[in-house]
Amino acid sequence: MGCAEKDCCTASAGGPIQFPGTNEPNTPWKLYNHLIAGIPEDVVVRDYCLGTHSSYVAADSGMGVSFTTTGGAKRRYADDLRGLPLRTVAELAKSWCFEEASLGVAALNAWYSQHGLLDELGCVYDAAVEVPDGTVRKMDAFEMYRPEITAAGDASVVVVGHFPHVERIEEYARLTVLERKCTQANDVPDPACEYVIPGADYLFMTGVTLINKTAPRLLDLAANTKTVFVGPSVVMAPFLFRWGVDMLAGSVVADPEKAAFAVKNGAGQLFGEALTMAALKNPEA
């Protein structure tokens, strides 16, 4: 993967960052177009890194991160992106090259995942949640919803992405995990989303769905389901509440220097001192 090291930007070999055919209003692209349009035109990218496990984009507004997703189409925009408007780099979120899209989502987070925007919306940071065994976990979205799901009784929970310890949900609900590569008993291949999400009571979906473009369809399927976006790639934009999201459980970069080192080091673990876990609830949920 690549990290920028120069102080100025050169034009990309792929030409201007643009994706023809993605600006029609009545298509799934409208989700991405609205998020991109929410970034001011005068915010500039200063640094970025497409890392082995995670990626970051640092701009005038702050730093945003995302999970590095591989695969998809061939990469077109491989030259230095620094000096470009953040809004322009965020266009990469629409790329079918998932490495490029990872940088695009990190660019979105460089704008939306900042205290200046989230504090006034009532965002909660690093909230401690006590689990039934007496241990305390910081900002565990699954545990935050455990009391509600348990009270519902015999609830059906669908999780997009095999998160660590997701099997705990089996203690209090019927669990189905949608995964590209099924490895556990409750895993089903992701095309099963068309069958299992519409009848689910709760849906937890990874922010990676914004990178691989499955998010708009999954949110449509979850029209009658309580939906939570989970993970560091989650774009903390309240606009997503208009798509039926009940809570955004993402992150804010607490220490840009440590976050950049973690990405470049390829260690994979960003939480702790580098990131602050954040939760923003839909006020109408």
Side-chain angles (χ1 to χ4, degrees), residues 169-225:
I169 296 175
E170 293 182 281
E171 299 171 5
Y172 52 92
R174 290 177 286 118
L175 172 65
T176 302
V177 178
L178 294 169
E179 254 296 345
R180 287 280 164 94
K181 297 179 180 179
C182 299
T183 59
Q184 305 296 324
N186 286 321
D187 291 356
V188 296
D190 55 352
C193 63
E194 301 283 342
Y195 301 84
V196 301
I197 291 178
D201 298 300
Y202 293 85
L203 171 66
F204 294 85
M205 52 191 288
T206 169
V208 173
T209 59
L210 290 165
I211 297 172
N212 64 25
K213 314 300 183 293
T214 58
R217 179 56 184 163
L218 294 175
L219 292 174
D220 285 346
L221 291 170
N224 299 310
T225 303

Side-chain angles (χ1 to χ4, degrees), residues 243-278:
W243 280 70
V245 177
D246 293 275
M247 187 172 81
L248 301 168
S251 63
V252 174
V253 174
D255 189 319
E257 184 176 349
K258 289 181 179 178
F261 177 79
V263 169
K264 294 174 182 178
N265 187 44
Q269 179 56 264
L270 279 173
F271 290 117
E273 296 181 355
L275 297 187
T276 297
M277 302 178 75

Side-chain angles (χ1 to χ4, degrees), residues 39 43-45 47 56-65 86 103-114 117 235 253:
I39 301 175
V43 179
V44 175
V45 171
D47 189 24
Y56 74 80
V57 171
D60 296 334
S61 54
M63 177 182 284
V65 300
L86 181 64
L103 285 174
V105 169
L108 288 171
N109 274 324
W111 173 252
Y112 288 104
S113 294
Q114 53 175 310
L117 296 179
V235 177
V253 174

